[in-house]
Amino acid sequence: MKFADLGLSVELLKAVADAGYDEPTPIQAQAIPSVLMMKDIIGIAQTGTGKTASFVLPMIDILAHGRSRARMPRSLILEPTRELAAQVAENFEKYGKNHNLTMALLIGGVSMGDQIKALEKGVDVLIATPGRLMDLFERGRILMSGCELLVIDEADRMLDMGFIPDIEQICSKLPSTRQTMLFSATMPPPIKKLSDQFLNNPKYIEASRPATANTSIDQSIIHVAPKAKRSLLYGILDNDGVDTAIIFCNRKTEVRDLCESLRKDGFDAGQIHGDMDQGSRLAELDRFKSGEINILCASDVAARGLDIKGVSHVVNYDIPWHPDDYIHRIGRTGRAGATGIAITFVTKRDEEHVDSIEKLTGMKLPVRESSSVKPEKKQGGKKPFVKKTPAEPKADKPKNQQSQEPVADTSKATDTNRRPPKSAEKVMKPEKQPSKPKLVEETDDGWNGPVPGFLDAKLNR
Ligand code: AMP
């Protein structure tokens, strides 16, 4: 199958070729022709399958005809988090560069004035997190009656974060004749109910079995005593051909401690978790993406949706409490056709979690013997670490320099991706005056990082 067989315009085919894609992924091949035929879609697809392009590409062609009107967005994409919204906006820019569509990003924490101005001018594509969208709607700043195309992305995560009531409200404000697409990695009953209620005779597309982890990921579990986890991890990092790794822990304090130990022992490690301020999180992610560091210790804040290329290993230092999180965590490796390795540490108390993951994925997780991992190298304290990913030469700086601001000790707190209380969600920090406009979010998943200035972006820049 070729992109040219899917019915996309010449301009889009050019943008796709410029993006370097040879052929559509299975979800794209199945979804794009149906979306172009204005059908409702339920897409069961995990991240890394190319699902974003499966709705963004046909939307661009559909929206190419027609004009936007003030305060009446022509299409709406709902994303659970600010950084996912930003990623979709990036996709729109990339694929829509040969079109003349306007886009606005509505996410919490940004000065509402700018967003209102963007809406007043009229936008073709509105990408929003549900909280901010409802806020502006309740203030009478958005009219949903012109919105004929709706995408609910990462629906299962919306559920986790408590957004379903907001989504129900939003759906009820849109024209009933609209086209709706719903994407989710899994299909728990409340999402099924939502789709029954708001989709009209949808085409059901399954890029892979629901919740089946990507087959290009070599998955295994290793039984280990809690106290032996650290040396097992070091053995893997030293001897298992790790280029880049994300190490997931269930608690923020564990993320922090592990990262500090790794740095002390000479690894180029960074961290990302819910206690860090926005700048530190994004800076850390950038360092990882650029190859400046090759190990990222992370909580589930980083588990879903982020498109970080070329991660060779995902290590679940702690097995996730929710089986869905397992799918999302290991989805950080094996992206878009590349192979990856996912290793999960399992202690005696974790067997129940292994069962629920196996039930959800429908596969037995192969057990790897801990003895198959060569012990860590003993090099008299610090480990010599040879970075394998290309990185810009960096200025001399102390090896263990901490770039993060001090964070509060929340040793009891867990770091799941659950929605913060409503009261917390609506709070807006006064904006500092950054030199470049930054979008700041402090809602949704607690992600507070700046994002590129997509607000009211012209797609053909
Ligand atoms: P997604 O599942 O939408 O997060 O996409 C995962 C990654 O796959 C992104 O880096 C996309 O740029 C990339 N991608 C999307 N479609 C294709 C394709 N047809 N061929 C190769 N890579 C793709």
Side-chain angles (χ1 to χ4, degrees), residues 158-238:
M158 299 274 199
L159 173 70
D160 283 354
M161 295 172 73
F163 283 143
I164 298 301
D166 283 349
I167 292 175
E168 285 173 345
Q169 270 216 54
I170 292 165
C171 284
S172 64
K173 314 272 182 234
L174 298 178
S176 56
T177 52
R178 67 170 186 272
Q179 181 181 11
T180 308
M181 293 169 253
L182 181 145
F183 291 87
S184 193
T186 55
M187 190 47 92
I191 300 298
K192 169 89 178 57
K193 193 171 151 236
L194 185 78
S195 56
D196 288 347
Q197 203 179 345
F198 292 108
L199 274 71
N200 180 18
N201 191 21
K203 175 168 175 176
Y204 190 89
I205 297 171
E206 225 174 299
S208 54
R209 288 180 51 228
T212 301
N214 196 326
T215 49
S216 58
I217 303 171
D218 174 358
Q219 302 171 60
S220 61
I221 56 174
I222 301 183
H223 292 286
V224 59
K227 285 198 172 135
K229 279 185 179 184
R230 190 83 43 116
S231 64
L232 180 63
L233 175 68
Y234 278 28
I236 289 168
L237 295 178
D238 274 342

Coordinates of all heavy atoms in Angstrom, one line a residue, residues 158-238:
M158 N -7.9 10.0 29.0 CA -8.9 11.0 29.4 C -9.7 10.4 30.6 O -10.0 11.1 31.5 CB -9.9 11.3 28.3 CG -9.3 11.9 27.0 SD -9.1 13.6 27.2 CE -8.9 14.1 25.4
L159 N -10.0 9.1 30.4 CA -10.8 8.4 31.5 C -10.0 8.4 32.8 O -10.5 8.8 33.8 CB -11.1 7.0 31.0 CG -11.8 6.1 32.0 CD1 -13.2 6.5 32.3 CD2 -11.8 4.6 31.5
D160 N -8.7 8.0 32.7 CA -7.9 8.0 33.9 C -7.8 9.3 34.5 O -7.7 9.4 35.8 CB -6.4 7.6 33.4 CG -6.2 6.1 33.1 OD1 -7.2 5.4 33.4 OD2 -5.1 5.8 32.7
M161 N -7.8 10.4 33.8 CA -7.6 11.7 34.3 C -9.0 12.4 34.7 O -9.0 13.5 35.1 CB -6.9 12.6 33.3 CG -5.5 12.0 33.1 SD -4.6 12.9 31.8 CE -4.3 14.4 32.6
G162 N -10.1 11.6 34.6 CA -11.3 12.2 35.0 C -12.0 13.1 34.1 O -12.8 14.0 34.5
F163 N -11.6 13.1 32.8 CA -12.1 14.1 31.8 C -13.4 13.7 31.1 O -14.0 14.4 30.3 CB -11.1 14.3 30.7 CG -10.0 15.2 31.1 CD1 -8.7 15.0 30.7 CD2 -10.2 16.3 32.0 CE1 -7.6 15.8 31.1 CE2 -9.2 17.1 32.4 CZ -7.9 16.9 31.9
I164 N -13.9 12.5 31.4 CA -15.1 12.0 30.6 C -16.3 12.9 30.8 O -16.9 13.2 29.8 CB -15.4 10.5 30.9 CG1 -14.2 9.6 30.5 CG2 -16.7 10.0 30.2 CD1 -13.8 9.7 29.1
P165 N -16.6 13.4 32.0 CA -17.8 14.3 32.1 C -17.6 15.5 31.2 O -18.6 16.0 30.5 CB -17.9 14.7 33.6 CG -17.2 13.5 34.3 CD -16.1 13.1 33.3
D166 N -16.4 16.1 31.2 CA -16.1 17.3 30.3 C -16.4 16.9 28.9 O -17.0 17.7 28.1 CB -14.7 17.8 30.5 CG -14.5 18.5 31.8 OD1 -15.5 18.9 32.4 OD2 -13.3 18.8 32.2
I167 N -15.9 15.7 28.5 CA -16.0 15.4 27.1 C -17.5 15.2 26.7 O -17.9 15.6 25.6 CB -15.2 14.1 26.8 CG1 -13.7 14.4 26.9 CG2 -15.5 13.5 25.4 CD1 -12.8 13.3 26.8
E168 N -18.2 14.6 27.6 CA -19.6 14.4 27.3 C -20.3 15.8 27.1 O -21.1 16.0 26.2 CB -20.3 13.7 28.5 CG -20.0 12.2 28.5 CD -20.5 11.5 29.7 OE1 -20.8 12.1 30.7 OE2 -20.5 10.2 29.7
Q169 N -19.9 16.7 28.0 CA -20.5 18.1 27.8 C -20.1 18.7 26.5 O -21.0 19.3 25.8 CB -20.0 19.0 28.9 CG -20.8 19.0 30.2 CD -20.8 20.4 30.8 OE1 -21.1 21.3 30.1 NE2 -20.4 20.4 32.0
I170 N -18.8 18.6 26.1 CA -18.3 19.1 24.9 C -19.1 18.5 23.7 O -19.6 19.2 22.8 CB -16.8 19.0 24.8 CG1 -16.1 19.8 25.8 CG2 -16.3 19.3 23.4 CD1 -14.6 19.4 26.0
C171 N -19.2 17.2 23.7 CA -19.9 16.5 22.6 C -21.3 17.0 22.5 O -21.8 17.2 21.3 CB -19.9 15.0 22.8 SG -18.4 14.2 22.6
S172 N -22.0 17.3 23.6 CA -23.4 17.7 23.5 C -23.5 19.1 22.9 O -24.6 19.5 22.5 CB -24.1 17.5 24.9 OG -23.5 18.4 25.7
K173 N -22.4 19.9 22.9 CA -22.5 21.2 22.4 C -22.2 21.3 20.9 O -22.4 22.3 20.2 CB -21.5 22.2 23.1 CG -21.4 22.1 24.5 CD -22.4 23.0 25.2 CE -22.3 23.0 26.7 NZ -23.5 22.7 27.4
L174 N -21.6 20.2 20.3 CA -21.2 20.2 18.9 C -22.4 19.9 18.0 O -23.4 19.2 18.5 CB -20.1 19.2 18.7 CG -18.8 19.5 19.4 CD1 -17.8 18.4 19.1 CD2 -18.2 20.8 19.1
P175 N -22.4 20.2 16.8 CA -23.5 19.9 15.9 C -23.7 18.3 15.9 O -22.7 17.6 15.8 CB -23.1 20.4 14.5 CG -21.9 21.2 14.7 CD -21.3 21.0 16.1
S176 N -24.9 17.9 15.8 CA -25.1 16.4 15.9 C -24.7 15.8 14.5 O -24.4 14.6 14.5 CB -26.5 16.1 16.2 OG -27.3 16.7 15.3
T177 N -24.5 16.6 13.5 CA -24.2 16.0 12.2 C -22.7 15.9 12.0 O -22.2 15.6 10.9 CB -24.7 16.9 11.1 OG1 -24.3 18.2 11.3 CG2 -26.2 16.9 11.0
R178 N -21.9 16.2 13.0 CA -20.5 16.2 12.9 C -19.9 14.8 12.6 O -20.5 13.8 12.8 CB -19.8 16.8 14.2 CG -20.0 15.8 15.3 CD -19.3 16.0 16.6 NE -19.5 14.9 17.4 CZ -20.6 14.8 18.3 NH1 -21.4 15.8 18.4 NH2 -20.7 13.7 19.0
Q179 N -18.6 14.8 12.2 CA -17.8 13.6 12.1 C -17.0 13.4 13.3 O -16.3 14.4 13.8 CB -16.9 13.7 10.9 CG -16.1 12.4 10.6 CD -15.2 12.6 9.4 OE1 -15.1 13.7 8.8 NE2 -14.6 11.5 8.9
T180 N -17.0 12.2 13.9 CA -16.2 12.0 15.2 C -15.3 10.9 15.1 O -15.6 9.8 14.5 CB -17.2 11.8 16.3 OG1 -18.2 12.8 16.4 CG2 -16.5 11.7 17.7
M181 N -14.1 11.1 15.6 CA -13.1 10.0 15.6 C -12.6 9.9 17.0 O -12.3 10.9 17.7 CB -11.9 10.4 14.7 CG -12.2 10.5 13.3 SD -10.8 11.2 12.4 CE -11.5 12.8 12.0
L182 N -12.5 8.6 17.5 CA -12.1 8.4 18.9 C -10.9 7.4 18.8 O -11.1 6.3 18.2 CB -13.3 7.8 19.7 CG -13.0 7.5 21.1 CD1 -14.3 7.8 21.9 CD2 -12.6 6.1 21.3
F183 N -9.8 7.8 19.4 CA -8.7 6.9 19.5 C -8.3 6.5 20.9 O -8.4 7.4 21.8 CB -7.5 7.6 18.8 CG -7.6 7.8 17.4 CD1 -8.3 8.9 16.8 CD2 -7.2 6.8 16.5 CE1 -8.4 9.1 15.5 CE2 -7.3 7.0 15.1 CZ -8.0 8.1 14.6
S184 N -8.0 5.3 21.1 CA -7.7 4.8 22.4 C -6.8 3.6 22.3 O -7.0 2.8 21.4 CB -9.0 4.5 23.1 OG -8.8 4.3 24.5
A185 N -5.9 3.4 23.3 CA -5.1 2.2 23.3 C -5.9 1.0 23.8 O -5.6 -0.1 23.4 CB -3.8 2.4 24.1
T186 N -6.8 1.3 24.7 CA -7.6 0.2 25.2 C -9.1 0.7 25.2 O -9.4 1.8 24.9 CB -7.2 0.0 26.7 OG1 -7.3 1.2 27.4 CG2 -5.8 -0.6 26.8
M187 N -10.0 -0.3 25.4 CA -11.4 0.1 25.3 C -12.2 -0.3 26.5 O -13.0 -1.2 26.5 CB -12.0 -0.6 24.0 CG -13.4 -0.2 23.6 SD -13.7 1.6 23.5 CE -13.3 2.0 21.8
P188 N -11.9 0.3 27.7 CA -12.6 0.0 28.9 C -14.1 0.3 28.7 O -14.4 1.2 27.9 CB -11.9 0.8 30.0 CG -11.1 1.8 29.3 CD -10.9 1.4 27.9
P189 N -15.0 -0.3 29.6 CA -16.4 0.0 29.4 C -16.8 1.5 29.3 O -17.7 1.8 28.5 CB -17.0 -0.7 30.6 CG -16.1 -1.8 30.9 CD -14.7 -1.3 30.6
P190 N -16.3 2.4 30.1 CA -16.8 3.8 30.0 C -16.5 4.4 28.7 O -17.2 5.2 28.2 CB -16.0 4.5 31.1 CG -15.5 3.4 32.1 CD -15.3 2.2 31.3
I191 N -15.4 3.9 28.0 CA -15.0 4.5 26.7 C -16.0 3.9 25.7 O -16.4 4.6 24.7 CB -13.6 4.2 26.3 CG1 -12.6 4.8 27.4 CG2 -13.2 4.7 24.9 CD1 -12.7 6.3 27.5
K192 N -16.3 2.6 25.9 CA -17.3 2.0 24.9 C -18.6 2.7 25.0 O -19.2 3.1 24.0 CB -17.4 0.5 25.4 CG -18.5 -0.3 24.7 CD -18.0 -0.9 23.4 CE -19.0 -1.7 22.7 NZ -20.3 -1.1 22.4
K193 N -19.0 3.1 26.3 CA -20.3 3.8 26.5 C -20.2 5.2 25.8 O -21.2 5.6 25.1 CB -20.5 3.9 28.0 CG -21.9 4.4 28.4 CD -22.1 4.3 29.9 CE -23.1 5.3 30.3 NZ -22.7 6.3 31.3
L194 N -19.1 5.8 26.0 CA -18.9 7.2 25.4 C -19.1 7.1 23.8 O -19.8 7.9 23.2 CB -17.5 7.7 25.7 CG -17.2 9.1 25.3 CD1 -17.9 10.1 26.2 CD2 -15.7 9.4 25.2
S195 N -18.4 6.0 23.3 CA -18.5 5.9 21.8 C -19.9 5.5 21.3 O -20.4 6.0 20.3 CB -17.4 5.0 21.3 OG -17.6 3.7 21.8
D196 N -20.6 4.7 22.1 CA -22.0 4.3 21.8 C -22.8 5.6 21.7 O -23.7 5.7 20.9 CB -22.5 3.3 22.8 CG -21.9 1.9 22.6 OD1 -21.3 1.7 21.6 OD2 -22.1 1.1 23.5
Q197 N -22.6 6.5 22.7 CA -23.4 7.6 22.9 C -23.2 8.7 21.8 O -24.1 9.3 21.3 CB -23.1 8.2 24.3 CG -24.2 9.1 24.8 CD -23.7 9.6 26.2 OE1 -22.8 9.1 26.8 NE2 -24.5 10.6 26.7
F198 N -21.9 8.9 21.4 CA -21.6 10.1 20.6 C -21.0 9.8 19.2 O -20.8 10.7 18.5 CB -20.6 11.0 21.4 CG -21.2 11.6 22.6 CD1 -20.8 11.2 23.9 CD2 -22.1 12.6 22.5 CE1 -21.4 11.8 25.0 CE2 -22.7 13.2 23.6 CZ -22.3 12.8 24.8
L199 N -20.9 8.5 18.9 CA -20.4 8.2 17.5 C -21.5 7.6 16.7 O -22.4 6.9 17.3 CB -19.2 7.3 17.5 CG -17.8 8.0 17.7 CD1 -17.6 8.6 19.0 CD2 -16.7 7.1 17.3
N200 N -21.5 7.9 15.4 CA -22.6 7.4 14.6 C -22.1 6.3 13.6 O -21.4 6.6 12.7 CB -23.2 8.6 13.8 CG -24.3 8.3 13.0 OD1 -25.0 7.2 13.1 ND2 -24.6 9.1 12.0
N201 N -22.6 5.1 13.9 CA -22.2 4.0 13.0 C -20.7 4.0 12.7 O -20.3 4.0 11.5 CB -23.1 4.1 11.7 CG -22.9 2.8 10.9 OD1 -22.5 1.8 11.5 ND2 -23.2 2.9 9.6
P202 N -19.9 4.0 13.7 CA -18.4 4.2 13.4 C -17.8 3.0 12.8 O -18.2 1.8 13.0 CB -17.8 4.3 14.8 CG -18.8 3.6 15.8 CD -20.2 3.8 15.1
K203 N -16.8 3.2 12.0 CA -15.9 2.1 11.5 C -14.9 1.8 12.6 O -14.3 2.7 13.2 CB -15.2 2.6 10.2 CG -14.3 1.5 9.8 CD -13.7 1.8 8.4 CE -12.7 0.7 8.1 NZ -12.2 0.8 6.7
Y204 N -14.8 0.5 12.9 CA -14.0 0.1 14.0 C -12.7 -0.4 13.4 O -12.6 -1.3 12.6 CB -14.7 -1.0 14.8 CG -14.1 -1.5 16.0 CD1 -14.4 -0.9 17.3 CD2 -13.1 -2.5 16.1 CE1 -13.8 -1.3 18.5 CE2 -12.5 -2.9 17.3 CZ -12.9 -2.3 18.5 OH -12.3 -2.7 19.6
I205 N -11.6 0.3 13.8 CA -10.3 -0.1 13.2 C -9.4 -0.5 14.4 O -9.2 0.3 15.4 CB -9.6 1.1 12.5 CG1 -10.5 1.5 11.3 CG2 -8.2 0.8 12.0 CD1 -10.1 2.8 10.7
E206 N -8.8 -1.6 14.2 CA -7.9 -2.1 15.3 C -6.5 -2.2 14.7 O -6.3 -3.1 13.8 CB -8.4 -3.4 15.8 CG -8.4 -3.6 17.3 CD -9.0 -4.9 17.7 OE1 -10.2 -5.1 17.3 OE2 -8.3 -5.7 18.3
A207 N -5.6 -1.4 15.0 CA -4.2 -1.5 14.4 C -3.5 -2.7 15.0 O -2.7 -3.3 14.3 CB -3.4 -0.2 14.8
S208 N -3.9 -3.1 16.2 CA -3.4 -4.4 16.7 C -4.5 -4.7 17.7 O -5.4 -4.0 17.9 CB -2.1 -4.2 17.4 OG -2.2 -3.2 18.4
R209 N -4.4 -5.9 18.3 CA -5.4 -6.3 19.3 C -5.4 -5.2 20.4 O -4.4 -4.6 20.7 CB -5.1 -7.6 19.9 CG -5.3 -8.8 18.9 CD -5.0 -10.1 19.6 NE -5.7 -10.2 20.8 CZ -5.1 -10.6 21.9 NH1 -3.8 -10.9 21.9 NH2 -5.7 -10.7 23.1
P210 N -6.6 -5.0 21.0 CA -6.7 -4.0 22.1 C -5.6 -4.3 23.1 O -5.5 -5.4 23.6 CB -8.1 -4.1 22.7 CG -8.8 -4.9 21.7 CD -7.9 -5.6 20.8
A211 N -4.9 -3.3 23.5 CA -3.9 -3.3 24.6 C -2.8 -4.3 24.3 O -2.1 -4.7 25.2 CB -4.6 -3.7 25.9
T212 N -2.7 -4.8 23.1 CA -1.5 -5.7 22.9 C -0.3 -4.8 22.7 O -0.4 -3.9 21.9 CB -1.8 -6.5 21.6 OG1 -2.9 -7.3 21.7 CG2 -0.6 -7.5 21.3
A213 N 0.7 -5.2 23.4 CA 1.9 -4.3 23.2 C 2.5 -4.6 21.9 O 2.4 -5.7 21.3 CB 2.9 -4.7 24.3
N214 N 3.2 -3.5 21.4 CA 3.8 -3.5 20.1 C 4.7 -4.8 19.9 O 5.5 -5.1 20.8 CB 4.7 -2.3 20.1 CG 5.1 -1.9 18.8 OD1 5.4 -2.7 17.9 ND2 5.3 -0.6 18.5
T215 N 4.6 -5.5 18.8 CA 5.3 -6.7 18.6 C 6.8 -6.5 18.3 O 7.6 -7.4 18.4 CB 4.7 -7.6 17.5 OG1 4.6 -6.7 16.4 CG2 3.4 -8.2 17.8
S216 N 7.1 -5.2 18.0 CA 8.6 -5.0 17.8 C 9.3 -4.7 19.1 O 10.4 -4.3 19.1 CB 8.7 -3.8 16.8 OG 8.1 -2.7 17.3
I217 N 8.6 -5.0 20.2 CA 9.3 -4.8 21.5 C 9.6 -6.2 22.1 O 8.7 -7.0 22.2 CB 8.4 -4.0 22.4 CG1 8.1 -2.6 21.8 CG2 9.1 -3.8 23.8 CD1 7.1 -1.9 22.6
D218 N 10.8 -6.5 22.4 CA 11.2 -7.7 23.0 C 11.0 -7.5 24.5 O 11.7 -6.8 25.2 CB 12.7 -7.9 22.7 CG 13.3 -9.1 23.4 OD1 12.5 -9.8 24.2 OD2 14.5 -9.4 23.2
Q219 N 9.9 -8.2 25.0 CA 9.6 -8.0 26.4 C 10.0 -9.1 27.3 O 9.9 -10.3 26.9 CB 8.0 -7.9 26.6 CG 7.4 -6.8 25.8 CD 5.9 -6.9 25.8 OE1 5.3 -6.8 26.8 NE2 5.3 -7.1 24.6
S220 N 10.4 -8.8 28.5 CA 10.7 -9.9 29.5 C 10.5 -9.4 30.9 O 10.5 -8.1 31.1 CB 12.1 -10.4 29.3 OG 13.1 -9.4 29.5
I221 N 10.4 -10.3 31.8 CA 10.4 -9.9 33.2 C 11.6 -10.6 33.9 O 12.0 -11.7 33.5 CB 9.1 -10.3 34.0 CG1 8.8 -11.8 33.8 CG2 7.9 -9.5 33.5 CD1 7.6 -12.2 34.7
I222 N 12.1 -10.0 34.9 CA 13.2 -10.6 35.7 C 12.8 -10.6 37.1 O 12.4 -9.5 37.7 CB 14.5 -9.8 35.5 CG1 14.9 -9.7 34.0 CG2 15.6 -10.5 36.3 CD1 16.3 -9.1 33.8
H223 N 12.8 -11.8 37.8 CA 12.5 -11.8 39.2 C 13.7 -11.3 40.0 O 14.8 -11.7 39.7 CB 12.1 -13.3 39.6 CG 10.8 -13.7 39.0 ND1 9.6 -13.3 39.4 CD2 10.6 -14.5 37.9 CE1 8.6 -13.8 38.7 NE2 9.2 -14.6 37.8
V224 N 13.4 -10.5 40.9 CA 14.5 -9.9 41.7 C 14.1 -9.5 43.1 O 12.9 -9.1 43.3 CB 15.1 -8.6 40.9 CG1 14.0 -7.6 40.7 CG2 16.3 -8.0 41.5
A225 N 15.0 -9.6 44.0 CA 14.6 -9.1 45.4 C 14.7 -7.6 45.4 O 15.5 -7.0 44.7 CB 15.6 -9.7 46.4
P226 N 13.9 -6.9 46.2 CA 13.8 -5.5 46.1 C 15.2 -4.9 46.3 O 15.6 -3.9 45.6 CB 12.9 -5.1 47.3 CG 12.0 -6.3 47.5 CD 12.8 -7.5 47.1
K227 N 16.0 -5.4 47.2 CA 17.3 -4.8 47.5 C 18.3 -5.1 46.3 O 19.3 -4.4 46.3 CB 17.9 -5.4 48.8 CG 17.2 -4.9 50.0 CD 18.0 -5.1 51.2 CE 17.4 -4.3 52.4 NZ 17.3 -5.1 53.6
A228 N 18.0 -6.0 45.5 CA 19.0 -6.3 44.4 C 18.7 -5.6 43.1 O 19.3 -5.7 42.1 CB 19.0 -7.8 44.2
K229 N 17.6 -4.8 43.1 CA 17.2 -4.1 41.9 C 18.3 -3.2 41.4 O 18.5 -3.2 40.2 CB 15.9 -3.2 42.2 CG 14.6 -4.0 42.2 CD 13.5 -3.0 42.3 CE 12.1 -3.6 42.3 NZ 11.0 -2.6 42.4
R230 N 18.9 -2.4 42.3 CA 19.9 -1.4 41.8 C 21.0 -2.1 41.0 O 21.4 -1.7 40.0 CB 20.3 -0.6 43.0 CG 21.2 0.6 42.8 CD 20.4 1.9 42.5 NE 19.2 2.2 43.3 CZ 19.1 3.2 44.1 NH1 20.1 4.0 44.3 NH2 18.0 3.5 44.6
S231 N 21.6 -3.2 41.6 CA 22.7 -3.8 41.0 C 22.3 -4.5 39.7 O 23.0 -4.6 38.7 CB 23.5 -4.7 41.9 OG 22.7 -5.8 42.3
L232 N 21.1 -5.1 39.7 CA 20.6 -5.7 38.4 C 20.5 -4.6 37.3 O 20.9 -4.8 36.2 CB 19.2 -6.3 38.7 CG 18.5 -7.0 37.5 CD1 19.3 -8.2 37.0 CD2 17.1 -7.4 37.8
L233 N 20.0 -3.4 37.7 CA 19.9 -2.3 36.7 C 21.3 -2.0 36.2 O 21.4 -1.8 35.0 CB 19.2 -1.1 37.4 CG 19.1 0.1 36.5 CD1 18.2 -0.1 35.3 CD2 18.7 1.3 37.2
Y234 N 22.2 -1.8 37.1 CA 23.5 -1.4 36.7 C 24.1 -2.5 35.7 O 24.8 -2.1 34.8 CB 24.5 -1.3 37.9 CG 24.3 0.1 38.6 CD1 23.1 0.8 38.6 CD2 25.4 0.6 39.3 CE1 23.0 2.0 39.2 CE2 25.3 1.9 39.9 CZ 24.1 2.5 39.9 OH 24.0 3.8 40.5
G235 N 23.8 -3.8 36.0 CA 24.3 -4.8 35.2 C 23.7 -4.7 33.8 O 24.4 -4.8 32.8
I236 N 22.5 -4.3 33.7 CA 21.8 -4.2 32.4 C 22.4 -3.0 31.7 O 22.8 -3.0 30.5 CB 20.3 -4.0 32.6 CG1 19.7 -5.3 33.0 CG2 19.6 -3.5 31.3 CD1 18.2 -5.2 33.5
L237 N 22.5 -1.9 32.4 CA 23.1 -0.6 31.7 C 24.5 -0.8 31.3 O 24.9 -0.3 30.2 CB 23.0 0.5 32.7 CG 21.6 1.0 33.1 CD1 21.7 2.1 34.1 CD2 20.8 1.4 31.9
D238 N 25.3 -1.6 32.0 CA 26.7 -1.9 31.7 C 26.8 -2.9 30.5 O 27.7 -2.7 29.7 CB 27.4 -2.4 32.9 CG 28.0 -1.4 33.8 OD1 28.0 -0.2 33.3 OD2 28.3 -1.7 34.9

